[in-house]
Amino acid sequence: EYKKDEKSGILYINRYLNEKGFTGKGQIVTVVDSLVDFHHAMFNDDNATFDVKTHLNHRKFVYYDYLGSVESLEDEIGEDEHGTHVAGTIAGETTCESNEQGFNLFNGNAPKAKLIFFNINTLPIIDSEVAIMDQFKSRISSNSWDYNQYSDSGNFEYGQGAYQNPQVVFIFAAGNEYTNGNFTVDDPSGSKNVISVGAIDDL
């Protein structure tokens, strides 16, 4: 059932798992996507130094993979980055102190979790990704993307990578396009050893 926040007027539903103490605390989720805006209120940390390709003592990021400097990263980040949206949905936690606007209602599903980020535009091979994940004991790789087609090589790569690394769960989007009716699950979502996640409103 929807409820209305008295201060902001925003409709929301109870967060059952969060209320039961499942907040992501102590967990590190790996996100492979387009760039994440680390200045965004869901990730910003004024008390920590941000850098790339190194261990971070940051409120939200333990590692941020990017080929270039922080300055070039800031120049490249767009206003509507899909990675910002995905990472926020997973582990965003607002730094805005006032709840009058209801910003806290938009926190991620695991607001106390931290993140490893890999840039999809310079996607590392699975072995490199898993090596970093193992270093930080991250066990979930979130991949909200696909090849927009069938790909035997991509299917094999992630199927084999998941099989060889049972300590990691690879999660992929089932597809957003819905251009071909019910056939939207493109590779590597079709890999035998990955979990493909989708949503449906009505068949």
Side-chain angles (χ1 to χ4, degrees):
E1 295 181 4
Y2 284 97
K3 296 183 179 181
K4 180 179 282 190
D5 181 55
E6 294 182 0
K7 294 181 179 180
S8 65
I10 295 173
L11 293 175
Y12 71 98
I13 57 175
N14 283 344
R15 297 194 169 203
Y16 178 80
L17 292 176
N18 289 174
E19 291 169 357
K20 296 296 182 182
F22 294 96
T23 62
K25 185 176 181 180
Q27 299 299 312
I28 297 173
V29 180
T30 296
V31 174
V32 180
D33 212 289
S34 70
L35 298 177
V36 178
D37 184 357
F38 62 93
H39 287 305
H40 193 285
M42 289 292 175
F43 312 107
N44 188 53
D45 187 350
D46 290 332
N47 299 314
T49 301
F50 182 86
D51 206 345
V52 294
K53 285 192 169 296
T54 188
H55 184 284
L56 295 173
N57 185 23
H58 189 273
R59 182 177 75 93
K60 277 295 161 186
F61 294 100
V62 299
Y63 188 87
Y64 195 110
D65 187 71
Y66 178 77
L67 295 176
S69 65
V70 174
E71 290 73 22
S72 62
L73 170 61
E74 290 176 320
D75 290 338
E76 189 178 341
I77 293 173
E79 292 183 1
D80 57 351
E81 291 286 358
H82 188 261
T84 302
H85 152 64
V86 169
T89 300
I90 294 171
E93 185 177 31
T94 184
T95 54
C96 298
E97 295 181 1
S98 173
N99 288 327
E100 297 292 328
Q101 303 290 332
F103 295 127
N104 59 313
L105 297 175
F106 296 94
N107 284 346
N109 289 287
K112 298 300 181 184
K114 293 194 174 188
L115 297 164
I116 291 173
F117 169 74
F118 286 103
N119 185 0
I120 194 171
N121 294 322
T122 53
L123 190 63
I125 60 173
I126 287 181
D127 289 346
S128 299
E129 177 185 346
V130 171
I132 296 294
M133 293 181 69
D134 283 345
Q135 180 181 340
F136 292 98
K137 294 181 171 57
S138 174
R139 300 303 181 218
I140 302 171
S141 175
S142 174
N143 303 266
S144 191
W145 52 271
D146 59 34
Y147 292 125
N148 295 320
Q149 61 187 356
Y150 296 114
S151 170
D152 289 340
S153 60
N155 216 19
F156 174 78
E157 179 183 7
Y158 280 92
Q160 183 185 50
Y163 177 77
Q164 293 177 337
N165 296 282
Q167 76 279 15
V168 175
V169 175
F170 289 90
I171 302 172
F172 277 86
N176 294 325
E177 296 81 11
Y178 203 67
T179 55
N180 298 316
N182 291 328
F183 302 97
T184 67
V185 183
D186 296 323
D187 290 332
S189 301
S191 294
K192 179 180 180 180
N193 300 311
V194 308
I195 296 175
S196 181
V197 180
I200 190 167
D201 180 54
D202 189 347
L203 270 177

